[in-house]
Amino acid sequence: MDLLKVENLSKSFGALWAVNNVSFTVGEGEIVGLIGPNGSGKSTVFQLITGLLRANRGTISYDGKDITGFKPYQISRSGIARTFQIVRPFPEMTTLKNVMVGRAFGSSSARSMKETEDEARRLLDLTGLTDKVSATAGHLGLIYRKKLELARALATKPKLLLLDEVMAGLNPTEMMETVEFLKTVRNSGVTMIVVEHVIKALFSMTDRVVVLNAGEKIAEGIPQEISRNEEVIKVYLGDYEHA
Amino acid sequence: MAERKKGFVVAAVVVIALALVPLVVAREYVFSILCMIFLYVTLSQSWNILGGYTGQINVGQAAFFGIGALAARLLWVAGVPFYLSILAGGLSSVILAIIIGLPALKLRGHYFAIGTLAVASIAQITVGNILPGISFLPAQHMATYSLIPRYYVFLIIMVTALAAVYITVNSRIGLGMEATRDDEEAAQMVGVNTFKYKMIAFLISSFFAGLAGGGFAYFNASYYWYLPFTLMWCFEPILIVFIGGVGSFIGPIIGSVCYVLLKELFALTLGEANLLIFGIVFILTILFFPKGIIGLPAKLRQLFRRRGNVVGR
Ligand SMILES: Nc1ncnc2c1ncn2[C@@H]1O[C@H](COP(=O)(O)OP(=O)(O)OP(=O)(O)O)[C@@H](O)[C@H]1O
Ligand SMILES: [Mg+2]
């Protein structure tokens, strides 16, 4: 069954169509990669799905419901979580409190503050932030802030997780760890759309890939097909062979 | 949470000690200083839950303090029991907050700060024009005037305000408020209805500002009607919160004690120039000690560590 269905989605900034008539679906339990050159509209698609931007045209259905025009917090509560390409943890709050916010709100909230805190600590252990629990989030290094955003998103108990370049800036070992971690997250029943420029890492975990170029969808398929698709190689993969 | 338990014990001891003060101290001067400290703790903590915890800068606290004072005084002087008058003052302030908050808190950015300042300025001018004179206490109230009930009223308002703020900021609501302050969009992305939490903070804040205004109306035998609306009441809570430590629970308490004592000292020695001094202290605090007095130990530790670590890094 389709968990997410995006139909004819378009968004313009002035004269620029950042997303132009894009349609795709994401099945329950899938990991779908969303790739394309810089400025091709990937992050804008996330802004539209999460309700931070309003589409000029098109519809977004999630879990059988039309959620186009819903408020961002309502979309989150329906089970969609995301990370930001440029990380945005709550800077003045501790690492622990950041994750507690996710746990206290999101799609299902813990019953008490005690339970909220316990579950937040467990997530911090899982994401390798155990010794950073009482650090102020704004003072953490980039890698830790990225992990924190992921932990905060998972704390909302999402059904659909949108990840915007969580691997950028990681070294190969950290990337491997992240891929393995995301696979376990998927196995726990979370569906994902993953935006990533690190193609090798991405293709090692995606079931399907959607390719955007200049706001338009130019290809869709399993990773093996996409890596042989001539147009995709021409506009995008050619430049990223070494990535 | 052993630390929290210790905090409760200390708080309980302090409150009991304060409640016993009138039994052992007889000097009016001490009472009025303590009353002013209680008033400023209430006012600054009420500013802090909205500004410090939720990130909505109310530049017009005087309007909420003033309307609380005005409503309470009018009713009380007209013969309504005092405790009902002061509650009506708090509620008037809440109604004002709803009227301002519904449009202004929907928006992000500086609309709220500008809006509240505008409301406070308009309120001051309007009250000054409509009620240019002095509010005198009727003779029957004057005859029974005593500082001791005033002292207890201020103490009760302060303890209630502190308890309400403490419980709120340590609950799920507090998490929503702090997330809203730090990043509204990111907060919405984890399911926080940011408008709701801004509104809750504003309602709590305005209620206690209004009660503090009622305390003012009860405390002063005679004063110009517009006096609780003057813009000083806007700036003082902000000054106190930043000196003490913005977004911390203890900050406004420490800030108020320092502020009232220093103001007393400066007023005796410097007269009007004391405002200038506080202005300078405020700017220096924001520039060099953004976390205020509360942040000083960490700041010093950090400076010390930086020196000590040069070789090791
Ligand atoms: N808020 C905005 N206002 C104006 N233009 C925008 C805005 N957000 C994105 N754009 C433009 O829309 C286009 C698509 O941007 P988007 O961020 O979605 O690309 P992307 O595929 O995520 O790129 P990258 O790989 O660099 O992250 C770009 O040309 C960008 O400059
Ligand atoms: Mg992007």
Side-chain angles (χ1 to χ4, degrees):
Chain A
M1 201 200 106
D2 289 339
L3 185 62
L4 184 80
K5 188 168 176 189
V6 171
E7 281 174 299
N8 309 109
L9 202 61
S10 297
K11 174 69 191 174
S12 71
F13 296 113
L16 171 83
W17 286 93
V19 174
N20 197 351
N21 208 28
V22 169
S23 304
F24 64 90
T25 61
V26 180
E28 198 145 8
E30 262 193 314
I31 300 185
V32 171
L34 184 60
I35 63 171
N38 292 113
S40 56
K42 305 179 297 288
S43 297
T44 306
V45 167
F46 279 8
Q47 296 292 90
L48 294 170
I49 296 174
T50 54
L52 285 184
L53 287 176
R54 289 275 167 107
N56 299 71
R57 282 196 298 273
T59 56
I60 301 162
S61 325
Y62 164 77
D63 215 4
K65 274 199 314 270
D66 185 355
I67 59 161
T68 328
F70 276 33
K71 295 209 171 78
Y73 80 88
Q74 295 169 326
I75 292 174
S76 159
R77 289 194 179 178
S78 70
I80 300 181
R82 59 94 58 97
T83 65
F84 288 96
Q85 180 171 355
I86 296 165
V87 286
R88 287 164 79 167
F90 302 123
E92 301 288 325
M93 300 172 81
T94 62
T95 302
L96 177 63
K97 270 199 180 179
N98 263 269
V99 181
M100 282 174 70
V101 176
R103 199 62 217 93
F105 294 88
S107 67
S108 80
S109 30
R111 278 192 303 274
S112 65
M113 281 298 269
K114 171 88 171 61
E115 197 179 303
T116 305
E117 183 177 332
D118 291 347
E119 291 186 24
R121 281 182 190 277
R122 220 170 302 140
L123 266 166
L124 287 169
D125 291 342
L126 223 61
T127 42
L129 290 165
T130 311
D131 52 342
K132 304 281 181 197
V133 275
S134 40
T136 306
H139 295 165
L140 292 173
L142 179 65
I143 304 299
Y144 291 112
R145 273 181 288 153
K146 288 202 153 186
K147 288 183 172 183
L148 177 56
E149 254 208 347
L150 187 57
R152 184 180 69 187
L154 288 172
T156 66
K157 296 271 158 91
K159 269 200 275 189
L160 175 64
L161 181 58
L162 313 178
L163 300 174
D164 201 346
E165 304 201 15
V166 281
M167 287 189 245
L170 301 189
N171 69 34
T173 324
E174 290 163 339
M175 252 180 235
M176 284 289 295
E177 286 168 7
T178 308
V179 168
E180 289 314 309
F181 179 68
L182 293 179
K183 281 180 181 164
T184 65
V185 171
R186 187 257 293 271
N187 291 340
S188 73
V190 180
T191 306
M192 277 180 245
I193 306 178
V194 185
V195 166
E196 201 57 68
H197 284 299
V198 190
I199 298 300
K200 222 173 101 183
L202 181 74
F203 281 12
S204 72
M205 62 179 184
T206 46
D207 302 304
R208 233 154 25 88
V209 179
V210 171
V211 189
L212 296 183
N213 184 40
E216 294 181 33
K217 184 169 101 173
I218 58 165
E220 179 177 349
I222 60 169
Q224 290 88 324
E225 286 165 12
I226 294 298
S227 53
R228 275 185 263 111
N229 182 309
E230 285 195 3
E231 193 181 359
V232 176
I233 292 174
K234 194 174 101 223
V235 303
Y236 182 54
L237 291 183
D239 298 340
Y240 284 86
E241 259 169 357
H242 308 291
Chain B
M1 291 289 104
E3 203 144 300
R4 190 168 282 187
K5 217 172 250 170
K6 232 185 279 167
F8 282 133
V9 172
V10 171
V13 169
V14 171
V15 171
I16 291 168
L18 287 173
L20 295 177
V21 165
L23 303 182
V24 281
V25 181
R27 289 180 56 199
E28 301 229 317
Y29 180 70
V30 176
F31 282 138
S32 48
I33 293 267
L34 284 173
C35 283
M36 283 308 108
I37 291 177
F38 300 165
L39 168 69
Y40 281 109
V41 169
T42 308
L43 206 55
S44 59
Q45 194 66 280
S46 94
W47 191 91
N48 191 39
I49 189 173
L50 181 63
Y53 284 97
T54 320
Q56 309 305 307
I57 306 302
N58 181 351
V59 197
Q61 186 87 326
F64 303 91
F65 180 73
I67 199 168
L70 183 64
R73 182 80 168 194
L74 284 173
L75 291 171
W76 180 47
V77 167
V80 176
F82 177 70
Y83 70 95
L84 284 180
S85 310
I86 195 170
L87 279 177
L91 290 179
S92 316
S93 180
V94 166
I95 291 167
L96 180 65
I98 293 172
I99 294 169
I100 300 171
L102 282 179
L105 290 177
K106 281 252 160 75
L107 307 165
R108 232 172 294 146
H110 304 297
Y111 296 98
F112 183 70
I114 294 164
T116 48
L117 183 59
V119 167
S121 310
I122 294 166
Q124 183 190 359
I125 293 165
T126 312
V127 173
N129 282 331
I130 297 175
L131 297 166
I134 293 175
S135 164
F136 293 102
L137 267 192
Q140 88 264 18
H141 287 313
M142 266 328 270
T144 57
Y145 187 97
S146 153
L147 266 183
I148 291 177
R150 269 89 192 154
Y151 177 87
Y152 283 114
V153 163
F154 275 126
L155 181 61
I156 291 168
I157 296 174
M158 175 183 77
V159 171
T160 319
L162 290 177
V165 171
Y166 186 85
I167 291 167
T168 308
V169 301
N170 286 295
S171 70
R172 175 170 180 273
I173 297 175
L175 288 175
M177 288 174 177
E178 288 196 61
T180 301
R181 170 198 66 202
D182 276 11
D183 189 331
E184 270 199 45
E185 286 190 349
Q188 290 167 0
M189 290 293 93
V190 290
V192 179
N193 179 356
T194 52
F195 172 68
K196 176 174 155 188
Y197 290 94
K198 289 192 275 188
M199 208 63 205
I200 293 176
F202 196 19
L203 297 184
I204 295 174
S205 173
S206 59
F207 181 64
F208 288 107
L211 288 189
F216 175 94
Y218 187 52
F219 182 84
N220 290 286
S222 60
Y223 61 88
Y224 280 97
W225 284 103
Y226 69 79
L227 197 67
F229 286 90
T230 49
L231 297 185
M232 270 308 281
W233 299 106
C234 299
F235 303 132
E236 284 179 316
I238 303 178
L239 179 72
I240 289 169
V241 168
F242 275 89
I243 290 178
V246 63
S248 84
F249 183 74
I250 303 294
I253 302 174
I254 296 181
S256 299
V257 174
C258 295
Y259 181 72
V260 171
L261 295 181
L262 286 179
K263 189 168 144 183
E264 209 54 32
L265 186 71
F266 289 164
L268 290 178
T269 53
L270 300 171
E272 285 295 304
N274 78 70
L275 278 186
L276 187 68
I277 304 226
F278 280 115
I280 294 170
V281 169
F282 180 61
I283 291 167
L284 291 179
T285 309
I286 286 189
L287 286 179
F288 299 108
F289 303 100
K291 297 225 164 102
I293 295 174
I294 284 298
L296 268 182
K299 181 100 188 171
L300 293 177
R301 234 179 293 133
Q302 185 192 340
L303 286 176
F304 185 72
R305 206 184 306 151
R306 211 176 278 161
R307 292 254 167 81
N309 258 0
V310 179
V311 185
R313 293 226 134 193

